[in-house]
Amino acid sequence: MDPLPAETPPERRFRYRRLAADLERRIRAGDFRPGDRLPSIRRLHRATGLSVSTVYRAFLELEEAGLVEAHPRSGYRVQPALWPPPPSLTHRRVKPAPQPIRLAAELSSVIAATSDPEFVPLGNTGMDAAHVPAKAFARMVREMNRFEWRSRLGYSPPEGLPELRREIALRDVGLPGGFRAEEIVVTSGCTEAIALALQAVARPGDTIAVESPTHFAVLQLLKEQGMLAAEVVVDPREGILLADLEHCLEKHPVRACFLMPHFQNPTGALMPAQKKKRLLEILSRRGIPVIVDDISAPLHFTGNRPLPLTAWDRQGLVIQCSSFSKTLAPGLRIGWVAARGERLEKIRRLKAATSICTSSLDQAIVARFLASGAYDRHLLRLRVAVGRQRLLTADLVRRHFPEGTRFALPQGGTLLWIELPQGIDGLELYRRAYARKIAIVPGAICANSPRFRNFILLSCAGPVDPRVSAAIVTLGEIARRVQDQRF
Ligand SMILES: Cc1ncc(COP(=O)(O)O)c(C=O)c1O
């Protein structure tokens, strides 16, 4: 950082440095922990008598040193990456080969526990009810007049209400290759979007390259559609291994890929821009379409929304699926799929044939919510809240789980993918937690091959209140007991 101009008296020149050094000492001593909010600039200005700009310079200094990060509207926080030590999860390489889907027996109980209010919702990765902007929703519904109610209770076009598609497309403005309203089809959640996309590009018996681990619901979809999965390993920080993917595409007749480049489920991996560019080069050489589940992209904790794959897509290979389930309300079931050319036409026909249209009333409510600006304000708050929940969850896991437990701290999304020490069976942990009415996701259901037995997935979607904290402590105790009893 540049020093202040030479004419500044020496004692003033270094005041911000003294403050920065004092804050750094406190961070290193653990007075402020990773993710903690530092006192605001105004508060420090009042407490120290230093000018606002001096305090601000001290923060800039700390930011440059990588000790703190700025969060819009909530000031400076201690850099979460200071968490000791940054763990790197073990890579489990597999040779990708097409396989029919074998669903784990636990899948249906995992799904049932997710929607059961009696369970502590550590397996529910959708938006938590505590964050639903209920007041704003209620106002929006009250404001609808009789005429609107009548018109909203009829069918809408299969591709969705024009005002909703416009609002969704508006959020792509400025993103390279962003989709236009005419390229969007509204669906019943991201799950229907993915189902339509799969049907548009592949038939029963076809092979889809998927990340391993992946979102268990996608394995379920592939199974029901009679498709095969070729699993390609994911690096928990940077996403799918491109060399393995390329090898898989060379060796096997892959019809399409299904990927989550932004805060992947379950690892939370974020694919760097250069890697996305290389991915599109690989796919473009073979003309292979890629179905992208981008549901978590708006939940980035710092910086801007990551660049979409469309930024490098010259052939219209990207089919983008998303929904408001992680950012507004999963029960609304409003999602969308965006595509180009023939695939868009096919998706439109499939949507009309399978469900005529998505609920017109729900679409109208969401469209109003987006148009009012309330959604964007809500998102700003939600990112801060979920980012904080992730840190609190990670901190509890770090303190209460057995030694040797590892996780990578994601930069966005609602998930914490945890590797338990070898020998701790995640399925056993899941069963015992289930009996105590604590819902988690066992890692074993996130892959088609028998892998990730010693992994679990915890959701950070809800507030870490005393009930949730106690549940995480209990999980740690159960994990120790499972560890002690292994043979
Ligand atoms: C990656 C991912 N895709 C899709 C879904 C399901 O989305 P929807 O509820 O919109 O169908 C989830 C659930 O949280 C998810 O984590």
Side-chain angles (χ1 to χ4, degrees), residues 125-126 188-192 194 215 260 265 293 295-296 322-326 330 333-335 415:
T125 63
S188 297
C190 189
T191 308
E192 190 190 34
I194 299 166
H215 181 30
M260 294 167 270
N265 185 340
D293 178 339
I295 192 170
S296 295
S322 193
S323 81
F324 294 105
S325 291
K326 296 228 186 217
R333 309 306 301 136
I334 299 291
L415 315 170

PDB file of all heavy atoms in Angstrom, residues 125-126 188-192 194 215 260 265 293 295-296 322-326 330 333-335 415, ligand 1:
ATOM      1  N   THR A 125     -31.090 -28.410   2.212  1.00  0.00           N
ATOM      2  CA  THR A 125     -30.188 -27.398   1.655  1.00  0.00           C
ATOM      3  C   THR A 125     -30.933 -26.271   0.946  1.00  0.00           C
ATOM      4  O   THR A 125     -30.321 -25.345   0.445  1.00  0.00           O
ATOM      5  CB  THR A 125     -29.200 -28.046   0.663  1.00  0.00           C
ATOM      6  OG1 THR A 125     -29.962 -28.589  -0.427  1.00  0.00           O
ATOM      7  CG2 THR A 125     -28.399 -29.147   1.332  1.00  0.00           C
ATOM      8  N   GLY A 126     -32.261 -26.349   0.903  1.00  0.00           N
ATOM      9  CA  GLY A 126     -33.044 -25.267   0.292  1.00  0.00           C
ATOM     10  C   GLY A 126     -33.141 -24.110   1.271  1.00  0.00           C
ATOM     11  O   GLY A 126     -32.721 -24.203   2.425  1.00  0.00           O
ATOM     12  N   SER A 188     -41.498 -26.056 -12.717  1.00  0.00           N
ATOM     13  CA  SER A 188     -41.802 -26.299 -11.304  1.00  0.00           C
ATOM     14  C   SER A 188     -40.495 -26.683 -10.616  1.00  0.00           C
ATOM     15  O   SER A 188     -40.178 -27.863 -10.446  1.00  0.00           O
ATOM     16  CB  SER A 188     -42.826 -27.425 -11.171  1.00  0.00           C
ATOM     17  OG  SER A 188     -44.010 -27.006 -11.779  1.00  0.00           O
ATOM     18  N   GLY A 189     -39.732 -25.682 -10.264  1.00  0.00           N
ATOM     19  CA  GLY A 189     -38.465 -25.908  -9.572  1.00  0.00           C
ATOM     20  C   GLY A 189     -37.338 -26.288 -10.515  1.00  0.00           C
ATOM     21  O   GLY A 189     -37.557 -26.541 -11.715  1.00  0.00           O
ATOM     22  N   CYS A 190     -36.139 -26.335  -9.914  1.00  0.00           N
ATOM     23  CA  CYS A 190     -34.945 -26.674 -10.697  1.00  0.00           C
ATOM     24  C   CYS A 190     -35.003 -28.150 -11.110  1.00  0.00           C
ATOM     25  O   CYS A 190     -34.487 -28.533 -12.153  1.00  0.00           O
ATOM     26  CB  CYS A 190     -33.716 -26.391  -9.821  1.00  0.00           C
ATOM     27  SG  CYS A 190     -32.165 -26.502 -10.663  1.00  0.00           S
ATOM     28  N   THR A 191     -35.652 -28.960 -10.276  1.00  0.00           N
ATOM     29  CA  THR A 191     -35.710 -30.401 -10.564  1.00  0.00           C
ATOM     30  C   THR A 191     -36.436 -30.651 -11.884  1.00  0.00           C
ATOM     31  O   THR A 191     -35.974 -31.430 -12.723  1.00  0.00           O
ATOM     32  CB  THR A 191     -36.393 -31.145  -9.401  1.00  0.00           C
ATOM     33  OG1 THR A 191     -35.744 -30.758  -8.198  1.00  0.00           O
ATOM     34  CG2 THR A 191     -36.318 -32.644  -9.562  1.00  0.00           C
ATOM     35  N   GLU A 192     -37.582 -29.975 -12.094  1.00  0.00           N
ATOM     36  CA  GLU A 192     -38.272 -30.157 -13.373  1.00  0.00           C
ATOM     37  C   GLU A 192     -37.425 -29.602 -14.521  1.00  0.00           C
ATOM     38  O   GLU A 192     -37.397 -30.173 -15.618  1.00  0.00           O
ATOM     39  CB  GLU A 192     -39.651 -29.494 -13.383  1.00  0.00           C
ATOM     40  CG  GLU A 192     -40.413 -29.913 -14.632  1.00  0.00           C
ATOM     41  CD  GLU A 192     -41.698 -29.147 -14.909  1.00  0.00           C
ATOM     42  OE1 GLU A 192     -41.758 -27.940 -14.605  1.00  0.00           O
ATOM     43  OE2 GLU A 192     -42.630 -29.750 -15.447  1.00  0.00           O
ATOM     44  N   ILE A 194     -34.214 -29.628 -14.798  1.00  0.00           N
ATOM     45  CA  ILE A 194     -33.184 -30.628 -15.146  1.00  0.00           C
ATOM     46  C   ILE A 194     -33.832 -31.812 -15.879  1.00  0.00           C
ATOM     47  O   ILE A 194     -33.299 -32.326 -16.875  1.00  0.00           O
ATOM     48  CB  ILE A 194     -32.435 -31.110 -13.882  1.00  0.00           C
ATOM     49  CG1 ILE A 194     -31.731 -29.939 -13.193  1.00  0.00           C
ATOM     50  CG2 ILE A 194     -31.420 -32.200 -14.224  1.00  0.00           C
ATOM     51  CD1 ILE A 194     -31.261 -30.237 -11.775  1.00  0.00           C
ATOM     52  N   HIS A 215     -25.346 -34.177  -6.743  1.00  0.00           N
ATOM     53  CA  HIS A 215     -26.608 -34.025  -6.012  1.00  0.00           C
ATOM     54  C   HIS A 215     -27.419 -35.318  -6.178  1.00  0.00           C
ATOM     55  O   HIS A 215     -27.683 -35.732  -7.301  1.00  0.00           O
ATOM     56  CB  HIS A 215     -27.352 -32.833  -6.594  1.00  0.00           C
ATOM     57  CG  HIS A 215     -28.650 -32.537  -5.918  1.00  0.00           C
ATOM     58  ND1 HIS A 215     -28.886 -32.814  -4.591  1.00  0.00           N
ATOM     59  CD2 HIS A 215     -29.779 -31.968  -6.380  1.00  0.00           C
ATOM     60  CE1 HIS A 215     -30.106 -32.434  -4.276  1.00  0.00           C
ATOM     61  NE2 HIS A 215     -30.669 -31.917  -5.346  1.00  0.00           N
ATOM     62  N   MET A 260     -22.402 -28.682 -11.974  1.00  0.00           N
ATOM     63  CA  MET A 260     -22.738 -27.542 -11.117  1.00  0.00           C
ATOM     64  C   MET A 260     -21.456 -26.751 -10.879  1.00  0.00           C
ATOM     65  O   MET A 260     -20.758 -26.984  -9.908  1.00  0.00           O
ATOM     66  CB  MET A 260     -23.292 -28.047  -9.776  1.00  0.00           C
ATOM     67  CG  MET A 260     -24.621 -28.765  -9.916  1.00  0.00           C
ATOM     68  SD  MET A 260     -25.097 -29.679  -8.424  1.00  0.00           S
ATOM     69  CE  MET A 260     -24.353 -31.275  -8.738  1.00  0.00           C
ATOM     70  N   ASN A 265     -23.047 -29.058  -5.508  1.00  0.00           N
ATOM     71  CA  ASN A 265     -23.683 -29.903  -4.498  1.00  0.00           C
ATOM     72  C   ASN A 265     -23.113 -31.322  -4.682  1.00  0.00           C
ATOM     73  O   ASN A 265     -23.259 -31.891  -5.755  1.00  0.00           O
ATOM     74  CB  ASN A 265     -25.202 -29.908  -4.704  1.00  0.00           C
ATOM     75  CG  ASN A 265     -25.920 -30.674  -3.613  1.00  0.00           C
ATOM     76  OD1 ASN A 265     -25.342 -31.484  -2.920  1.00  0.00           O
ATOM     77  ND2 ASN A 265     -27.216 -30.435  -3.490  1.00  0.00           N
ATOM     78  N   ASP A 293     -26.680 -26.967 -13.513  1.00  0.00           N
ATOM     79  CA  ASP A 293     -27.555 -26.640 -12.385  1.00  0.00           C
ATOM     80  C   ASP A 293     -26.895 -25.454 -11.690  1.00  0.00           C
ATOM     81  O   ASP A 293     -25.870 -25.605 -11.032  1.00  0.00           O
ATOM     82  CB  ASP A 293     -27.648 -27.856 -11.453  1.00  0.00           C
ATOM     83  CG  ASP A 293     -28.501 -27.581 -10.216  1.00  0.00           C
ATOM     84  OD1 ASP A 293     -28.686 -26.408  -9.867  1.00  0.00           O
ATOM     85  OD2 ASP A 293     -28.956 -28.557  -9.583  1.00  0.00           O
ATOM     86  N   ILE A 295     -28.302 -23.295  -9.460  1.00  0.00           N
ATOM     87  CA  ILE A 295     -29.216 -22.834  -8.412  1.00  0.00           C
ATOM     88  C   ILE A 295     -28.507 -22.032  -7.310  1.00  0.00           C
ATOM     89  O   ILE A 295     -29.085 -21.119  -6.729  1.00  0.00           O
ATOM     90  CB  ILE A 295     -29.965 -24.069  -7.831  1.00  0.00           C
ATOM     91  CG1 ILE A 295     -31.136 -23.661  -6.963  1.00  0.00           C
ATOM     92  CG2 ILE A 295     -29.045 -24.983  -7.079  1.00  0.00           C
ATOM     93  CD1 ILE A 295     -32.052 -24.827  -6.578  1.00  0.00           C
ATOM     94  N   SER A 296     -27.229 -22.356  -7.043  1.00  0.00           N
ATOM     95  CA  SER A 296     -26.532 -21.699  -5.925  1.00  0.00           C
ATOM     96  C   SER A 296     -25.725 -20.487  -6.344  1.00  0.00           C
ATOM     97  O   SER A 296     -25.170 -19.796  -5.476  1.00  0.00           O
ATOM     98  CB  SER A 296     -25.609 -22.703  -5.222  1.00  0.00           C
ATOM     99  OG  SER A 296     -26.375 -23.721  -4.625  1.00  0.00           O
ATOM    100  N   SER A 322     -32.251 -23.499 -13.069  1.00  0.00           N
ATOM    101  CA  SER A 322     -32.157 -22.839 -11.767  1.00  0.00           C
ATOM    102  C   SER A 322     -33.551 -22.711 -11.151  1.00  0.00           C
ATOM    103  O   SER A 322     -34.540 -23.176 -11.730  1.00  0.00           O
ATOM    104  CB  SER A 322     -31.512 -21.459 -11.917  1.00  0.00           C
ATOM    105  OG  SER A 322     -31.156 -20.969 -10.651  1.00  0.00           O
ATOM    106  N   SER A 323     -33.596 -22.110  -9.975  1.00  0.00           N
ATOM    107  CA  SER A 323     -34.888 -21.884  -9.316  1.00  0.00           C
ATOM    108  C   SER A 323     -34.696 -20.917  -8.164  1.00  0.00           C
ATOM    109  O   SER A 323     -33.571 -20.498  -7.871  1.00  0.00           O
ATOM    110  CB  SER A 323     -35.474 -23.194  -8.790  1.00  0.00           C
ATOM    111  OG  SER A 323     -34.876 -23.525  -7.544  1.00  0.00           O
ATOM    112  N   PHE A 324     -35.804 -20.600  -7.507  1.00  0.00           N
ATOM    113  CA  PHE A 324     -35.734 -19.729  -6.330  1.00  0.00           C
ATOM    114  C   PHE A 324     -35.747 -20.543  -5.031  1.00  0.00           C
ATOM    115  O   PHE A 324     -36.008 -19.995  -3.975  1.00  0.00           O
ATOM    116  CB  PHE A 324     -36.906 -18.734  -6.347  1.00  0.00           C
ATOM    117  CG  PHE A 324     -36.820 -17.770  -7.492  1.00  0.00           C
ATOM    118  CD1 PHE A 324     -37.643 -17.898  -8.601  1.00  0.00           C
ATOM    119  CD2 PHE A 324     -35.890 -16.750  -7.468  1.00  0.00           C
ATOM    120  CE1 PHE A 324     -37.544 -17.018  -9.672  1.00  0.00           C
ATOM    121  CE2 PHE A 324     -35.778 -15.859  -8.533  1.00  0.00           C
ATOM    122  CZ  PHE A 324     -36.608 -15.994  -9.638  1.00  0.00           C
ATOM    123  N   SER A 325     -35.471 -21.841  -5.144  1.00  0.00           N
ATOM    124  CA  SER A 325     -35.569 -22.689  -3.945  1.00  0.00           C
ATOM    125  C   SER A 325     -34.489 -22.395  -2.913  1.00  0.00           C
ATOM    126  O   SER A 325     -34.679 -22.655  -1.742  1.00  0.00           O
ATOM    127  CB  SER A 325     -35.487 -24.164  -4.334  1.00  0.00           C
ATOM    128  OG  SER A 325     -36.653 -24.529  -5.030  1.00  0.00           O
ATOM    129  N   LYS A 326     -33.346 -21.867  -3.346  1.00  0.00           N
ATOM    130  CA  LYS A 326     -32.272 -21.584  -2.383  1.00  0.00           C
ATOM    131  C   LYS A 326     -32.266 -20.114  -1.990  1.00  0.00           C
ATOM    132  O   LYS A 326     -31.514 -19.720  -1.098  1.00  0.00           O
ATOM    133  CB  LYS A 326     -30.913 -21.932  -2.978  1.00  0.00           C
ATOM    134  CG  LYS A 326     -30.772 -23.399  -3.261  1.00  0.00           C
ATOM    135  CD  LYS A 326     -29.480 -23.937  -2.739  1.00  0.00           C
ATOM    136  CE  LYS A 326     -29.331 -25.368  -3.190  1.00  0.00           C
ATOM    137  NZ  LYS A 326     -28.713 -26.201  -2.196  1.00  0.00           N
ATOM    138  N   PRO A 330     -38.518 -22.660  -1.303  1.00  0.00           N
ATOM    139  CA  PRO A 330     -38.567 -23.900  -2.101  1.00  0.00           C
ATOM    140  C   PRO A 330     -39.996 -24.341  -2.394  1.00  0.00           C
ATOM    141  O   PRO A 330     -40.265 -24.929  -3.440  1.00  0.00           O
ATOM    142  CB  PRO A 330     -37.829 -24.921  -1.227  1.00  0.00           C
ATOM    143  CG  PRO A 330     -37.697 -24.329   0.121  1.00  0.00           C
ATOM    144  CD  PRO A 330     -37.826 -22.847  -0.018  1.00  0.00           C
ATOM    145  N   ARG A 333     -42.011 -23.594  -5.730  1.00  0.00           N
ATOM    146  CA  ARG A 333     -41.734 -24.428  -6.905  1.00  0.00           C
ATOM    147  C   ARG A 333     -41.624 -23.590  -8.181  1.00  0.00           C
ATOM    148  O   ARG A 333     -42.176 -23.949  -9.220  1.00  0.00           O
ATOM    149  CB  ARG A 333     -42.806 -25.528  -7.099  1.00  0.00           C
ATOM    150  CG  ARG A 333     -43.122 -26.380  -5.902  1.00  0.00           C
ATOM    151  CD  ARG A 333     -41.927 -27.034  -5.261  1.00  0.00           C
ATOM    152  NE  ARG A 333     -41.174 -27.900  -6.133  1.00  0.00           N
ATOM    153  CZ  ARG A 333     -39.828 -27.893  -6.194  1.00  0.00           C
ATOM    154  NH1 ARG A 333     -39.113 -27.073  -5.447  1.00  0.00           N
ATOM    155  NH2 ARG A 333     -39.202 -28.708  -7.021  1.00  0.00           N
ATOM    156  N   ILE A 334     -40.935 -22.479  -8.100  1.00  0.00           N
ATOM    157  CA  ILE A 334     -40.705 -21.702  -9.323  1.00  0.00           C
ATOM    158  C   ILE A 334     -39.232 -21.814  -9.719  1.00  0.00           C
ATOM    159  O   ILE A 334     -38.335 -21.398  -8.996  1.00  0.00           O
ATOM    160  CB  ILE A 334     -41.073 -20.201  -9.134  1.00  0.00           C
ATOM    161  CG1 ILE A 334     -42.557 -20.046  -8.779  1.00  0.00           C
ATOM    162  CG2 ILE A 334     -40.749 -19.404 -10.408  1.00  0.00           C
ATOM    163  CD1 ILE A 334     -43.527 -20.383  -9.892  1.00  0.00           C
ATOM    164  N   GLY A 335     -39.028 -22.405 -10.894  1.00  0.00           N
ATOM    165  CA  GLY A 335     -37.683 -22.532 -11.432  1.00  0.00           C
ATOM    166  C   GLY A 335     -37.710 -22.183 -12.903  1.00  0.00           C
ATOM    167  O   GLY A 335     -38.739 -21.732 -13.429  1.00  0.00           O
ATOM    168  N   LEU A 415     -23.861 -25.422   1.664  1.00  0.00           N
ATOM    169  CA  LEU A 415     -23.437 -26.783   2.003  1.00  0.00           C
ATOM    170  C   LEU A 415     -22.072 -26.858   2.669  1.00  0.00           C
ATOM    171  O   LEU A 415     -21.192 -26.046   2.381  1.00  0.00           O
ATOM    172  CB  LEU A 415     -23.368 -27.629   0.724  1.00  0.00           C
ATOM    173  CG  LEU A 415     -24.529 -27.502  -0.258  1.00  0.00           C
ATOM    174  CD1 LEU A 415     -24.192 -28.191  -1.557  1.00  0.00           C
ATOM    175  CD2 LEU A 415     -25.774 -28.106   0.339  1.00  0.00           C
TER     176      LEU A 415
HETATM  177  C1  LIG B   1     -28.003 -28.391  -6.533  1.00  0.00           C
HETATM  178  C2  LIG B   1     -29.480 -28.479  -6.369  1.00  0.00           C
HETATM  179  N1  LIG B   1     -30.260 -28.551  -7.455  1.00  0.00           N
HETATM  180  C3  LIG B   1     -31.591 -28.636  -7.343  1.00  0.00           C
HETATM  181  C4  LIG B   1     -32.206 -28.638  -6.122  1.00  0.00           C
HETATM  182  C5  LIG B   1     -33.698 -28.733  -6.058  1.00  0.00           C
HETATM  183  O1  LIG B   1     -34.247 -27.536  -6.544  1.00  0.00           O
HETATM  184  P1  LIG B   1     -35.834 -27.313  -6.633  1.00  0.00           P
HETATM  185  O2  LIG B   1     -36.362 -27.312  -5.247  1.00  0.00           O
HETATM  186  O3  LIG B   1     -35.950 -25.945  -7.261  1.00  0.00           O
HETATM  187  O4  LIG B   1     -36.388 -28.365  -7.485  1.00  0.00           O
HETATM  188  C6  LIG B   1     -31.454 -28.573  -4.957  1.00  0.00           C
HETATM  189  C7  LIG B   1     -32.097 -28.582  -3.644  1.00  0.00           C
HETATM  190  O5  LIG B   1     -31.827 -27.863  -2.758  1.00  0.00           O
HETATM  191  C8  LIG B   1     -30.045 -28.495  -5.079  1.00  0.00           C
HETATM  192  O6  LIG B   1     -29.252 -28.452  -4.017  1.00  0.00           O
END
